[in-house]
């Protein structure tokens, strides 16, 4: 199949929903062999089936990316299925509770750090070791504008996403001479089930989000997927260590 990532093997975590699902569909359309990973098996199988029905190549593997054993088994499964990994989009994440730093529970702190930060470390640990064996690859981690700026009432999320930006830069330096590029995407407010949950809980209103975004709208998952595809493709061959805002100008304020 022709396309911007034709013939490449791509692992996408959080591929059941939202940004991960849009990225999986785009990579499938652009010729990659896709491994969709998520702990939501029903949604993940649905994404993989939709890629195959559209003429692409895709499989699903269930994994909780905060667990070392699950991540090690996931990377082994990609290699067993497709023989290598060329692109990895480490994207699964949660928003956690909305509560200020004085009110953030230790349970929320530990859960958000495990799922939003430790997962990215674990995925990169095994992906990098595998990519070195085949001479290179491209990794994109999902940070957030909350990895570049503070966000009141989300201390664990902000700390995790700043951590993702730092891990991204560090791995980029470590592997720059081994043919592996490591970047992060930093979305602004994107209309996904995650943001719908935040709206349902009354944390922010849609009007507040529109007012905070310079373009006065939310982004679409497909707009993040396009930036991830570019960062994974050979078109961005001299780009590494970049936490890239895709945010309609939010972080420029
Ligand atoms: P989403 O629609 O909720 O998708 C996240 C996916 O990750 C879900 O399928 C979820 O499964 C899965 N997941 C959660 N924890 C997991 C775990 N431990 N192991 C495996 N899979 C897990 O949210 P989204 O908006 O697309 O978010 C994707 C990423 O973008 C996250 O890292 C998020 O922090 C980041 N982000 C989002 C926005 C935004 O405005 N939407 C902005 C900045 C950054 P379940 O559905 O079963 O929970």
């Amino acid at each position: 199949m022709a396309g911007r990532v034709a013939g490449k093997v791509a692992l996408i975590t959080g591929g059941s929903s939202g940004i991960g699902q849009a990225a999986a569909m785009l990579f499938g359309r652009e010729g990659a062999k896709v491994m969709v990973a998520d702990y939501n098996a029903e949604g993940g199988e649905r994404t993989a089936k939709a890629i195959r029905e559209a003429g692409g190549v895709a499989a699903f593997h269930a994994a909780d990316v905060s667990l070392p054993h699950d991540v090690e088994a996931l990377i082994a499964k990609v290699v067993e299925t497709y023989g290598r990994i060329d692109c990895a989009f480490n994207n699964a994440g949660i928003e956690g509770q909305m509560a200020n730093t004085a009110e953030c529970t230790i349970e929320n702190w530990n859960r958000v750090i495990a799922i939003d930060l430790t997962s990215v470390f674990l995925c990169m640990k095994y992906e990098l070791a595998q990519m070195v064996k085949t001479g290179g690859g491209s990794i994109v981690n999902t940070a957030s504008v909350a990895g570049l700026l503070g966000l009141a009432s989300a201390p664990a999320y902000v700390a995790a996403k700043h951590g993702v930006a730092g891990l991204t830069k560090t791995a980029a330096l470590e592997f720059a001479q081994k043919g592996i590029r490591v970047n992060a995407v930093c979305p602004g407010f994107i209309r996904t089930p995650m943001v719908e949950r935040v709206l349902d809980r009354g944390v922010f209103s849609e009007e507040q989000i529109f007012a905070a975004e310079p373009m006065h709208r939310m982004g679409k998952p497909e707009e993040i997927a396009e930036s991830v595809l570019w960062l994974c493709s050979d078109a961005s061959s001299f780009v590494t260590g970049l936490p890239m805002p895709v945010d309609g100008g939010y972080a420029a304020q």
Side-chain angles (χ1 to χ4, degrees):
M1 186 188 265
R4 289 175 284 172
V5 284
K8 292 186 191 284
V9 173
L11 166 62
I12 296 177
T13 76
S16 293
S17 174
I19 293 168
Q21 182 186 49
M25 295 298 299
L26 180 63
F27 275 71
R29 278 199 305 279
E30 292 290 339
K33 296 173 198 160
V34 181
M35 180 63 78
V36 177
D38 204 292
Y39 64 10
N40 176 343
E42 202 188 322
E45 295 282 12
R46 205 181 311 121
T47 302
K49 186 162 174 264
I51 294 169
R52 290 193 297 270
E53 283 174 356
V57 177
F60 169 74
H61 184 77
D64 178 338
V65 291
S66 67
L67 301 177
H69 179 266
D70 273 25
V71 176
E72 192 176 4
L74 169 63
I75 304 309
K77 185 70 187 178
V78 183
V79 176
E80 182 195 316
T81 308
Y82 298 127
R84 55 189 292 125
I85 304 180
D86 302 299
C87 312
F89 181 33
N90 301 319
N91 161 76
I94 57 165
E95 68 280 19
Q97 289 173 338
M98 296 301 288
N100 72 31
T101 304
E103 287 164 358
C104 173
T105 63
I106 188 67
E107 291 78 16
N108 180 61
W109 175 268
N110 287 337
R111 181 162 175 265
V112 171
I113 295 295
I115 296 177
D116 289 358
L117 177 58
T118 307
S119 70
V120 174
F121 160 67
L122 289 170
C123 286
M124 286 212 291
K125 176 177 167 63
Y126 293 106
E127 289 158 1
L128 288 162
Q130 171 55 37
M131 286 175 174
V132 164
K133 290 184 200 166
T134 52
S138 177
I139 295 175
V140 179
N141 299 315
T142 302
S144 168
V145 288
L148 304 170
L149 305 165
L151 178 65
S153 295
Y157 188 80
V158 169
K161 295 299 188 180
H162 274 72
V164 170
L167 271 176
T168 298
K169 292 178 196 172
T170 297
L173 296 176
E174 292 167 342
F175 289 85
Q177 289 168 37
K178 296 195 168 69
I180 304 172
R181 296 184 298 108
V182 187
N183 294 289
V185 67
C186 299
F189 285 98
I190 310 301
R191 196 179 284 282
T192 67
M194 178 185 283
V195 163
E196 297 295 348
R197 282 193 298 274
V198 172
L199 289 172
D200 287 349
R201 279 149 59 189
V203 179
F204 306 113
S205 67
E206 230 173 53
E207 292 68 34
Q208 284 170 314
I209 293 177
F210 293 165
E213 281 284 0
M215 290 188 184
H216 289 179
R217 69 170 176 91
M218 280 191 235
K220 299 179 206 141
E222 292 75 17
E223 292 176 307
I224 305 302
E226 279 291 343
S227 64
V228 175
L229 187 103
W230 181 74
L231 287 171
C232 277
S233 76
D234 297 338
S236 62
S237 51
F238 202 49
V239 180
T240 197
L242 174 70
M244 185 168 89
V246 185
D247 64 347
Y250 185 96
Q253 297 175 103

